[in-house]
Amino acid sequence: MSVLILALVAGAVTGLALGALGGGGSVLAVPALIYLLGFTPAAATSASLVVVTVTSATALSAHAREGTVRWRAGALFAAAGLIPAALGGAVSGLLPPAVLTGAFSLIAGIAAFRMLRPSAGGPDGVPARPGRITGAGAGLGAVTGVLGVGGGFLAVPALVNIVGLRMRAAVGTSLLVITVNSLAALLARAGTAQSLDWAVVAPFAGAAVLGAWDGKRLAARVSGGVLQRIFACALLGVAALMLLDVVL
């Protein structure tokens, strides 16, 4: 029973992050699955992809109704990451757990520092160069595949700093990118996903979906700058804890 409660609480927090911030779900889900629910790093990254795919698709529908999804830029960004995400998913199973955990903490820390840098993004709706979008999308897809993350914690800053979207539009658009990349990476790990403990993963995912709706309402009430700072601080904390675990 205690495992079920932990799964529900961790899932709710994951969904809240995805709904409010357009990312951060997997960067919270993976440590929760490892340290609270006893998953191995490989199983945790696969389970995280299941949770984040379902939750981000749900949150995307809500943001789409609000008009905060920039479909053209998001589709180009996501399409560029499809093949790298699938290849990364296949490579991930060959890496030692310590390498996966260390790389995960490093990427989370870099993303957090970038989010803390003042950047309002360009005027919303001004198209960025396709080459920059596809390059960033391909890199994000590779990270998604290898580390088992949806990539929202990298997609949001990329959509702000590279594509030039405002924070709220970046949050909504990142959910499109997360859904596509996570699904591609999950398909590449089909064999691993079949062996997951679904008695834990299913309630985790269900709670995350419900949490995403609350996160969407939170995003409508809190300024983009505040969300960005909360997001960055959460990433720094998780990155530090995971890196400490690898070192010790």
Side-chain angles (χ1 to χ4, degrees):
M1 181 60 70
S2 60
V3 173
L4 177 60
I5 293 174
L6 285 174
L8 291 172
V9 172
V13 174
T14 296
L16 188 69
L18 269 170
L21 304 171
S26 54
V27 80
L28 298 175
V30 170
L33 288 163
I34 294 174
Y35 299 115
L36 295 180
L37 300 172
F39 281 52
T40 65
T45 54
S46 295
S48 172
L49 287 172
V50 174
V51 173
V52 174
T53 299
V54 174
T55 310
S56 59
T58 302
L60 174 62
S61 65
H63 280 267
R65 287 194 295 272
E66 297 292 331
T68 59
V69 181
R70 301 297 177 258
W71 295 99
R72 179 178 296 180
L76 180 60
F77 199 104
L82 280 173
I83 294 178
L87 292 175
V91 169
S92 178
L94 306 176
L95 299 177
V99 172
L100 287 174
T101 304
F104 188 96
S105 63
L106 179 62
I107 290 295
I110 291 173
F113 280 116
R114 290 206 59 171
M115 291 295 288
L116 286 172
R117 290 172 53 194
S119 175
D124 197 13
V126 176
R129 285 178 293 180
R132 296 189 70 191
I133 297 176
T134 55
L140 180 66
V143 171
T144 297
V146 173
L147 299 183
V149 297
F153 66 102
L154 292 174
V156 171
L159 289 167
V160 169
N161 296 310
I162 296 176
V163 181
L165 299 183
R166 296 291 185 180
M167 183 62 181
R168 291 197 185 281
V171 167
T173 306
S174 73
L175 290 166
L176 172 62
V177 178
I178 294 168
T179 301
V180 173
N181 281 351
S182 297
L183 183 58
L186 184 60
L187 291 175
R189 298 174 177 229
T192 303
Q194 291 176 359
S195 62
L196 294 177
D197 185 354
W198 289 100
V200 174
V201 175
F204 194 115
V209 169
L210 295 176
W213 290 103
D214 291 330
K216 175 63 182 64
R217 288 193 288 270
L218 178 63
R221 299 176 182 176
V222 181
S223 70
V226 172
L227 287 175
Q228 190 167 332
R229 287 190 291 273
I230 293 173
F231 190 16
C233 290
L235 285 180
L236 281 176
V238 170
L241 288 173
M242 296 189 75
L243 187 59
L244 185 63
D245 181 63
V246 173
V247 173
L248 296 179

